């Protein structure tokens, strides 16, 4: 019986090897690449066969192949990814700004899920959820111990299905259940207002399909409220990025026509590109120029861009373009450093491959990857400093991160020591929540970096950080 299993396994292995050899030949013919290594492919096929024949219980062949692909791709860098049916659907939802759920912005606090704000008009908004509400249970599952992503997955689901949330409302000192019917939610990635007479504030939380249209509407609203703006703050803090065309469009809104916004470089000819501040570089097929209605004053209004360690990818493209063209003063903390381009290749009707194909470079030719954008003016999170900023991960901290291509990032020997000190301080404050150093909501009078940005625009003294320093790069030795 065992011999029969082994023979069956090797037959399966032979079939896989044959298929892989065919792939190799097709790859060579299509791309003029070197042949794939036959010995290693035979080993892969042999392992596949052994698992099929010898593993303690039957294993689904499709899952084995899917896991093999996932492992191969995940070994490249932190941002390349194989999309199975579920993850491909989630990815599309993330870029479209649409998903099925209850409609709340959330964060994590003390192991629970905290409501930052309900999305206006959403089921959560209609159910009466408020900012600072804590979600303690999702249906019958306790939230404490779940990751934020796990909590999000449990709250999302099919349209018209119900989810029961148990809410603890601090100011009323009571716990109560709320049953909410899920529906399609359209996220709002743009907020803005006249922060005080003569000064506007516009915040982008992500670059999605609707971001440019929403950005134009919000800018128009601000200028209608105050046509004589003396300064504008573009807030990109904790903006993880998103769509490249949206980043080019937002940059073009502030820059002279046809100047370079960003360049890319990779192995493929299509990865070597220059994106400029012109409609053909951001206009969607069949669409019109979304920026045509913007007030001309936006091109010259004094501008400050706020960034921090959570500003990544598309937000770094915008900050880098505005900095290199001397169109804005960049203030805050050194950004995340996600300067790589991912291209999504469909593998079928509901699976795909997101693969890194190029690096991003600012107009001056500086690689964003693993370095990020260094502000013109370093500003802390609060007037007391940024005690926990050192705990925030950056691209250079991720395993297998792609180098900048212009030298490896230097490892700071003091960084681990500083992180350990910050962890101890955070743990101490967690034991006494009343004294915890909570960062105020963005866009409020207590938002310290925003107040420093306004001071910069008014020509007033700015409280510059005394502790933040650029994380330098170390040139590779030959």
């Amino acid at each position: 019986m065992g011999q029969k299993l082994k023979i069956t396994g090797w037959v399966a292995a032979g079939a896989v090897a044959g298929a892989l050899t065919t792939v190799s030949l097709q790859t060579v013919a299509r791309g003029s690449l070197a042949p794939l290594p036959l010995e290693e492919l035979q080993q892969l096929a042999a392992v596949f066969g052994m698992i099929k024949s010898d593993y303690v219980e039957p294993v689904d062949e499709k899952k084995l192949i899917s896991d093999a692909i996932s492992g191969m791709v995940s070994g490249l860098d932190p941002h390349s990814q194989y999309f199975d049916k579920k993850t491909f659907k989630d990815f599309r939802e993330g870029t479209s700004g649409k998903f099925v759920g209850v409609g709340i912005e959330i964060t994590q606090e003390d192991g629970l899920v905290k409501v930052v704000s309900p999305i206006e008009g959403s089921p959560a908004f209609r159910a009466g959820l408020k900012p600072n509400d804590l979600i303690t249970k999702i249906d019958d599952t306790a939230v404490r111990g779940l990751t934020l992503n796990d909590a999000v997955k449990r709250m999302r689901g099919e349209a018209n299905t119900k989810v029961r949330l148990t809410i603890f409302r601090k100011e009323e000192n009571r716990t109560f259940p709320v049953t909410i019917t899920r529906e399609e939610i359209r996220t709002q990635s743009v907020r803005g207002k006249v922060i005080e007479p003569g000064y506007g504030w516009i915040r982008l939380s992500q670059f999605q399909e609707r971001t440019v249209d929403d950005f134009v509407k919000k800018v128009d609203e601000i200028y209608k409220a105050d046509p004589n703006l003396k300064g504008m703050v573009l807030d990109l803090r904790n903006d993880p990025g998103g769509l490249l065309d949206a980043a080019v469009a937002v940059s073009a809104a502030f820059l002279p026509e046809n100047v370079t916004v960003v360049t890319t470089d990779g192995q493929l000819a299509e990865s070597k590109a220059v994106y400029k501040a012109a409609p053909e570089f951001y206009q969607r097929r069949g669409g019109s120029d979304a920026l045509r209605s913007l007030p001309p004053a936006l091109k010259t209004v004094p501008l400050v861009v706020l960034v921090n360690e959570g500003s990544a990818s598309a937000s770094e493209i915008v900050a880098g373009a505005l900095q290199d063209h001397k169109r804005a003063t960049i203030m805050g903390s050194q950004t995340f450093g996600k300067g790589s381009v991912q291209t999504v290749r469909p593998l079928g009707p509901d699976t795909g491959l997101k693969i890194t194909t190029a690096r991003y470079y600012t107009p001056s030719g500086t690689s964003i990857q693993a370095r990020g954008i260094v502000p013109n003016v370093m500003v802390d999170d609060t007037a007391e400093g940024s005690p926990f900023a050192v705990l925030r991960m950056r691209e250079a901290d991720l395993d297998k991160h792609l180098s900048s291509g212009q030298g490896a990032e230097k490892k700071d020997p003091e960084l681990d020591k500083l992180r350990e000190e910050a962890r101890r301080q955070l743990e101490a404050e967690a034991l006494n929540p009343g004294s915890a150093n909570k960062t105020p909501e963005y866009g409020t009078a207590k938002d310290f970096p925003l107040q420093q940005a306004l001071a910069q625009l008014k020509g007033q003294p700015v409280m510059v950080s005394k502790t933040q320093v650029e994380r330098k790069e170390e040139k590779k030795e030959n």
Side-chain angles (χ1 to χ4, degrees):
M1 182 68 178
Q3 183 64 28
K4 183 177 179 182
L5 283 173
K6 290 185 189 302
I7 292 170
T8 304
W10 281 108
V11 169
V16 173
L20 290 171
T21 304
T22 302
V23 170
S24 173
L25 294 173
Q26 289 174 342
T27 303
V28 173
R30 184 175 65 248
S32 300
L33 300 175
L36 297 177
L38 185 58
E39 183 179 342
E40 283 74 14
L41 289 174
Q42 288 172 335
Q43 286 183 355
L44 173 63
V47 171
F48 179 90
M50 288 177 190
I51 293 172
K52 281 289 297 174
S53 63
D54 296 2
Y55 189 64
V56 64
E57 58 187 30
V59 181
D60 180 75
E61 290 182 349
K62 291 182 179 178
K63 183 179 185 303
L64 271 181
I65 294 172
S66 177
D67 288 348
I69 296 171
S70 295
M72 178 167 54
V73 177
S74 66
L76 297 172
D77 63 61
H79 307 294
S80 294
Q81 182 182 358
Y82 167 67
F83 291 131
D84 59 17
K85 187 174 182 178
K86 174 67 170 61
T87 53
F88 207 13
K89 179 175 179 287
D90 291 344
F91 173 76
R92 285 167 169 163
E93 286 180 350
T95 57
S96 69
K98 295 186 293 184
F99 63 91
V100 174
V102 300
I104 46 175
E105 274 188 65
I106 59 173
T107 187
Q108 208 156 25
E109 182 177 293
D110 299 329
L112 302 176
V113 172
K114 178 181 176 180
V115 177
V116 175
S117 66
I119 296 170
E120 190 171 350
S122 70
F125 182 86
R126 297 194 299 270
L129 265 63
K130 295 181 178 180
N132 299 316
D133 281 349
L134 293 174
I135 301 173
T136 59
K137 290 177 73 175
I138 303 171
D139 289 325
D140 295 322
T141 302
V143 167
R144 193 178 293 278
L146 293 180
T147 67
L148 202 57
N149 281 341
D150 286 338
V152 169
K153 287 176 184 176
R154 289 178 182 275
M155 285 188 280
R156 291 188 181 181
E158 298 297 320
N160 300 316
T161 59
K162 295 182 186 298
V163 60
R164 188 177 74 256
L165 305 180
T166 303
I167 306 297
F168 173 62
R169 185 164 289 165
K170 288 182 181 179
E171 63 265 29
E172 298 175 10
N173 196 27
R174 69 184 181 103
T175 298
F176 57 94
V178 177
T179 299
I180 301 176
T181 301
R182 300 179 178 98
E183 62 183 52
E184 184 177 277
I185 307 296
R186 289 182 174 268
T187 59
Q188 188 69 34
S189 63
V190 183
R191 294 164 55 200
K193 58 185 176 180
V194 176
I195 202 78
E196 61 179 65
Y199 297 93
W201 170 76
I202 190 159
R203 168 158 175 74
L204 305 186
S205 58
Q206 198 170 353
F207 289 84
Q208 300 172 333
E209 289 178 3
R210 295 172 54 244
T211 295
V212 178
D213 290 335
D214 291 344
F215 170 80
V216 170
K217 288 177 187 173
K218 189 58 66 177
V219 170
D220 285 340
E221 285 176 16
I222 290 172
Y223 268 92
K224 282 177 185 173
D226 192 338
N228 300 309
L229 284 185
K230 295 182 247 179
M232 176 80 80
V233 178
L234 176 63
D235 193 341
L236 302 178
R237 288 173 293 174
N238 290 332
D239 182 331
L243 300 176
L244 173 59
D245 59 352
V248 175
V250 171
S251 302
F254 296 99
L255 290 171
E257 192 171 356
N258 279 320
V259 300
T260 297
V261 173
V262 67
T263 62
T264 62
D265 189 31
Q267 283 200 83
L268 296 172
E270 64 200 56
S271 297
K272 303 176 190 300
V274 178
Y275 295 85
K276 297 190 174 184
E280 58 264 35
F281 294 96
Y282 58 79
Q283 192 171 306
R284 298 241 166 94
R285 186 177 297 175
S288 57
D289 181 5
L291 306 185
R292 67 189 184 283
S293 69
L294 285 173
L298 195 66
K299 295 282 188 183
T300 55
V301 65
L303 181 66
V304 165
V305 178
L306 285 175
V307 295
N308 65 2
E309 296 90 342
S311 306
S313 191
S315 55
E316 294 178 289
I317 288 171
V318 175
L322 297 176
Q323 184 181 57
D324 276 10
H325 288 295
K326 296 182 170 38
R327 175 63 187 88
T329 301
I330 313 300
M331 297 180 67
S333 309
Q334 189 171 353
T335 61
F336 185 79
K338 199 256 173 198
S340 59
V341 183
Q342 281 68 50
T343 302
V344 177
R345 314 274 196 206
L347 298 175
D350 50 17
T351 59
L353 179 65
K354 180 172 65 134
I355 186 169
T356 301
T357 54
R359 290 181 178 89
Y360 285 126
Y361 298 85
T362 69
S364 65
T366 302
S367 174
I368 293 172
Q369 176 60 20
R371 179 174 184 263
I373 304 300
V374 180
N376 302 104
V377 181
M378 296 278 201
V379 174
D380 290 321
D381 294 337
T382 69
E384 290 73 38
S386 303
F388 306 123
V390 71
L391 295 176
R392 296 175 191 150
M393 295 291 285
R394 296 180 65 250
E395 177 78 11
D397 299 316
L398 301 180
D399 288 339
K400 301 173 185 172
H401 74 266
L402 193 68
S403 73
S404 69
Q406 296 177 338
E409 182 154 305
K410 184 178 181 180
K411 296 296 182 184
D412 186 348
E414 292 295 312
L415 197 56
D416 288 339
K417 180 181 176 183
L418 292 172
R419 282 179 172 157
E420 187 55 37
E421 290 174 358
R423 283 190 195 97
R424 283 198 295 267
Q425 185 178 344
L426 186 62
E427 287 169 3
E429 290 199 0
L431 297 174
N432 186 12
S435 65
N437 184 5
K438 304 292 184 185
T439 303
E441 182 184 349
Y442 291 161
T444 65
K446 295 181 179 179
D447 183 347
F448 179 75
L450 177 57
Q451 297 308 312
Q452 301 315 299
L454 291 173
Q456 174 75 21
L457 290 169
K458 296 173 185 176
Q460 297 174 353
V462 172
M463 192 179 294
V464 177
S465 173
K466 296 179 181 177
T467 57
Q468 290 193 57
V469 293
E470 176 187 352
R471 285 173 63 175
K472 296 279 189 183
E473 290 184 328
E474 185 180 73
K475 296 300 181 184
K476 292 180 179 177
E477 295 180 359
N478 294 325

